[in-house]
Amino acid sequence: MPSSHPTTDRRAALKERHRRDIVAAAAALLEETGGLNFTIEDLAARADVSRRTVFNHFASLSDVLAAVFDDVMGGLLACYQAQAPLDAGGRAWAGVDAVFDELAAALRATDLVPSMSYLTRSLIGEKERSPWLDGVLLRVLEDGGLRLAAAMRERRPRVDPLEIDLLVNTVIHGVLVVHRHWYEATDAADDDASRVVWSGLVERFLSRLRAGYGPDPGPS
Amino acid sequence: MPSSHPTTDRRAALKERHRRDIVAAAAALLEETGGLNFTIEDLAARADVSRRTVFNHFASLSDVLAAVFDDVMGGLLACYQAQAPLDAGGRAWAGVDAVFDELAAALRATDLVPSMSYLTRSLIGEKERSPWLDGVLLRVLEDGGLRLAAAMRERRPRVDPLEIDLLVNTVIHGVLVVHRHWYEATDAADDDASRVVWSGLVERFLSRLRAGYGPDPGPS
DNA sequence: TGCACTCGGTGCACCGTTGCACTCGGTGCA
DNA sequence: TGCACCGAGTGCAACGGTGCACCGAGTGCA
């Protein structure tokens, strides 16, 4: 088959559709049950596939959940990639401060409140938080961080990889802290008032990172 | 698997759904194109299956069309079976006149106008009639007639099978003649006026059959 | 009149799903 | 404390669908 034909064949389309349906079903069930209060049987029925098919697509339930969270968190990476397109010339010589500015711009530009709200509802339902589920989320954040760092190194090849890794790690875990404060202030609402709080916290976080933790050099 | 489980499994459900989708797609394309103005490729695309799958379910296009027509004509057999349920006692000794009355009742009770209208539009589109397609319809009528006769013999085992076969054959071909006259009078419309014409023609047809073709015995 | 094309139909290998029996870990209860 | 049950996860075979190359009949055109 000539590879110039851009559309996948029916087999590939079916496979992809089933994979998406499983992830979407898991996302729905997480939200509806407030966490891991469903079985693989429930998930399969909701996705309209067999139990075996779930395991054909994913090695385990934690892989399904990882895909769910990955979808949810995908907006930040996409926004960063939009902020710093690959084909922009003359940026290879810039320092980590430039990388920081691009990431900061992406963080400001991305509306993370829906994702945060969803994750909060899914992870903190009427039952106690599941450490296992938190572990899945952490893994996704780490994986996402790795991809984000890779995207940065691709765009800024002369910046010290350690600086990039430190930056990404700091930002991701910083966002988790921002989330906790945001949650306490807004009860994870997904509305305009909640967005104002989120933006304020993000600004304080980014300002602190920019300024660093050394002694304040004072007005000059 | 215990056969007490009444619902089919997912495989069987998928298979049946694809078979139904193919038949439904063929019915739609016959109507939309006014006959055989589509390809197997069109049919497969409309049914959302592959070309090969069509031939997995049906030996040929004529078999698909036979299924379409069979669905369309199925109402009469179902109505007859409702008119003359199997478990009704004491009817085995009746004659062919009783069988005729049951069939006549079914013919009166079944609204055949939608089916007739559909078949007319499908078989007589903007192009010339297809003798091949007419042949498929005839085959379906014959098959349907065989099943109708079998249902009658099951209910009236003491009636001469020849009498039953003659009756069924006469009624089916009579309905075709009724259709032609109805078509000329109504242009195959599917509306109340068209139903009135159909019923009138059916009554004349049934009266003639009941009275027979001997000399009129006159008023007595 | 020969050739190229279309389309119905076919054989075969492969893919993805499914059914089902099974294992193992966790849990609850008598 | 042992047993029964539940549910995640697994291996394997079968099923249904799919891709693709092919054949043959029919058709249109140079």
Side-chain angles (χ1 to χ4, degrees):
Chain A
M1 168 184 283
S3 60
S4 63
H5 200 321
T7 60
T8 55
D9 61 18
R10 294 182 62 86
R11 270 180 187 155
L14 176 68
K15 185 173 180 178
E16 183 49 36
R17 178 162 59 82
H18 278 171
R19 190 186 176 286
R20 279 199 316 270
D21 287 350
I22 291 167
V23 174
L29 287 168
L30 273 172
E31 186 166 10
E32 287 170 24
T33 68
L36 275 182
N37 303 307
F38 56 92
T39 65
I40 301 289
E41 191 67 39
D42 296 329
L43 173 57
R46 177 67 69 99
D48 198 19
V49 296
S50 77
R51 239 169 50 82
R52 197 68 196 78
T53 301
V54 174
F55 290 103
N56 288 340
H57 287 269
F58 298 94
S60 63
L61 178 56
S62 77
D63 276 359
V64 177
L65 300 177
V68 171
F69 297 146
D70 197 53
D71 279 353
V72 171
M73 298 304 288
L76 185 55
L77 177 58
C79 196
Y80 169 76
Q81 282 166 331
Q83 296 282 336
L86 258 176
D87 58 352
R91 295 189 296 104
W93 293 93
V96 69
D97 55 332
V99 182
F100 173 81
D101 285 339
E102 286 164 353
L103 182 57
L107 202 43
R108 292 186 180 102
T110 311
D111 183 6
L112 285 176
V113 165
S115 302
M116 289 298 161
S117 184
Y118 168 82
L119 286 171
T120 316
R121 291 197 304 278
S122 301
L123 295 166
I124 311 172
E126 70 273 12
K127 290 189 176 183
E128 251 176 64
R129 289 267 299 275
S130 163
W132 181 83
L133 202 51
D134 282 348
V136 171
L137 180 60
L138 198 60
R139 171 154 69 88
V140 165
L141 290 172
E142 281 168 12
D143 289 344
L146 289 175
R147 291 207 297 281
L148 186 55
M152 289 167 169
R153 284 196 294 277
E154 193 174 14
R155 286 158 177 77
R156 304 280 189 186
R158 291 180 182 276
V159 174
D160 188 347
L162 173 65
E163 295 273 23
I164 289 185
D165 283 344
L166 287 169
L167 172 60
V168 165
N169 187 66
T170 303
V171 165
I172 285 181
H173 285 91
V175 166
L176 288 182
V177 173
V178 164
H179 168 270
R180 183 151 34 83
H181 284 257
W182 169 76
Y183 179 28
E184 289 170 0
T186 64
D187 204 28
D190 186 347
D191 55 29
D192 288 340
S194 170
R195 276 182 183 77
V196 169
V197 174
W198 176 263
S199 296
L201 291 169
V202 165
E203 278 313 311
R204 286 180 61 186
F205 169 50
L206 292 173
S207 297
R208 171 52 62 189
L209 283 187
R210 188 168 185 65
Y213 290 94
D216 194 333
S220 61
Chain B
M1 169 184 284
S3 60
S4 62
H5 199 320
T7 61
T8 56
D9 59 19
R10 293 182 62 87
R11 270 182 189 151
L14 175 69
K15 184 173 178 178
E16 183 49 36
R17 179 162 60 81
H18 278 171
R19 189 185 178 286
R20 280 201 313 273
D21 287 350
I22 292 166
V23 174
L29 286 168
L30 273 172
E31 187 166 9
E32 287 169 25
T33 67
L36 275 183
N37 304 305
F38 58 91
T39 66
I40 302 289
E41 192 66 40
D42 296 329
L43 173 56
R46 178 66 68 98
D48 198 18
V49 296
S50 77
R51 236 167 56 81
R52 197 68 198 77
T53 301
V54 174
F55 291 103
N56 288 341
H57 287 269
F58 298 94
S60 63
L61 179 56
S62 76
D63 276 0
V64 176
L65 300 176
V68 171
F69 297 147
D70 197 55
D71 279 353
V72 170
M73 299 302 290
L76 185 55
L77 177 58
C79 196
Y80 169 75
Q81 283 167 331
Q83 297 281 337
L86 258 177
D87 55 355
R91 295 190 294 105
W93 293 93
V96 69
D97 55 332
V99 183
F100 172 82
D101 284 341
E102 286 165 352
L103 183 57
L107 202 44
R108 291 187 181 102
T110 311
D111 184 5
L112 285 175
V113 165
S115 302
M116 290 298 161
S117 183
Y118 168 81
L119 285 172
T120 315
R121 292 198 302 279
S122 302
L123 294 167
I124 312 173
E126 71 272 15
K127 290 189 178 183
E128 252 177 65
R129 289 267 300 275
S130 162
W132 182 82
L133 201 51
D134 281 348
V136 172
L137 180 60
L138 197 60
R139 171 153 69 89
V140 164
L141 289 173
E142 283 168 10
D143 289 344
L146 288 175
R147 290 207 296 282
L148 186 54
M152 289 169 168
R153 286 197 293 277
E154 192 174 15
R155 286 156 177 77
R156 305 280 188 185
R158 290 181 183 275
V159 174
D160 189 346
L162 173 65
E163 295 273 22
I164 288 185
D165 283 345
L166 286 169
L167 171 61
V168 165
N169 187 66
T170 302
V171 166
I172 284 180
H173 286 91
V175 166
L176 288 182
V177 173
V178 165
H179 168 270
R180 182 149 38 82
H181 283 256
W182 168 77
Y183 179 27
E184 287 170 2
T186 64
D187 202 28
D190 187 347
D191 55 28
D192 288 340
S194 170
R195 276 179 183 79
V196 169
V197 174
W198 176 264
S199 295
L201 291 168
V202 165
E203 277 315 309
R204 286 180 59 187
F205 169 49
L206 292 174
S207 296
R208 170 51 62 189
L209 281 187
R210 189 169 184 65
Y213 290 93
D216 195 334
S220 60

